[in-house]
Amino acid sequence: MTWLDSGIRIFLLAQGTAARWLREEISALKVRIQLTDGCIEELAREADHGARRASAARHGGQASGEGVSYVELLREQIIVQADWVRRWTATDEKPPADDPVAQAFVRIARKYALPRPWKLSEPVAVEVDRLRPSWAWAARLHPQAAGH
């Protein structure tokens, strides 16, 4: 990351631009769940970490003049976070255990108790073998006399 990108990063985070972009992206995906400010800010920080990782990976093995700015990488990561919010609140699919981005999102989603839909399984009749007859409980009951 260049010194200019570092300055832009600090400015964007200080102004809350990343959080605003994330809210806009979540709204564009038509997510109806209201997220708290703390949740949005933590997801925006996670997008920032992802953008810095992507910048380091792109500049690590290549020339630094590639032309991909921090702002572009941050926008990509914000879209990734917004898509995770949509998937988490719209489906009950299980995130991959080997994906660090997914696991970071799951940690945040559980911390802020983001709701998930539950898919009910089809009811299936199951035969149960009883060890004793079901009427055995009634043998201990004593009928009360009428009039008491």
Side-chain angles (χ1 to χ4, degrees):
M1 183 180 308
T2 65
W3 64 270
L4 180 60
D5 280 340
S6 295
I8 291 171
R9 173 184 173 265
I10 291 169
F11 180 74
L12 289 176
L13 294 177
Q15 294 296 317
T17 304
R20 183 174 45 85
W21 286 346
L22 183 58
R23 276 202 189 277
E24 290 169 0
E25 190 65 34
I26 289 170
S27 177
L29 291 174
K30 301 196 182 338
V31 175
R32 291 179 285 189
I33 303 299
Q34 293 293 322
L35 287 100
T36 64
D37 291 338
C39 182
I40 290 288
E41 289 168 9
E42 197 159 342
L43 290 170
R45 281 193 301 273
E46 191 59 39
D48 170 58
H49 291 303
R52 287 189 292 152
R53 282 191 303 266
S55 177
R58 289 185 184 187
H59 293 302
Q62 301 173 359
S64 61
E66 184 180 308
V68 179
S69 70
Y70 168 78
V71 174
E72 293 170 324
L73 295 173
L74 180 62
R75 291 293 281 197
E76 288 174 10
Q77 292 301 314
I78 284 174
I79 291 169
V80 167
Q81 293 297 319
D83 187 54
W84 273 114
V85 170
R86 182 193 56 76
R87 287 169 58 188
W88 183 268
T89 60
T91 68
D92 66 346
E93 73 181 65
K94 187 172 182 166
D98 60 344
D99 183 1
V101 175
Q103 292 308 308
F105 174 79
V106 168
R107 180 188 53 78
I108 294 168
R110 288 183 176 155
K111 178 179 178 181
Y112 290 96
L114 294 183
R116 297 202 76 185
W118 294 96
K119 203 184 317 179
L120 298 176
S121 61
E122 293 294 321
V124 177
V126 177
E127 186 175 341
V128 177
D129 293 329
R130 296 185 186 266
L131 297 177
R132 30 181 126 141
S134 61
W135 47 266
W137 64 270
R140 290 186 293 250
L141 292 179
H142 301 292
Q144 294 182 355
H148 281 240

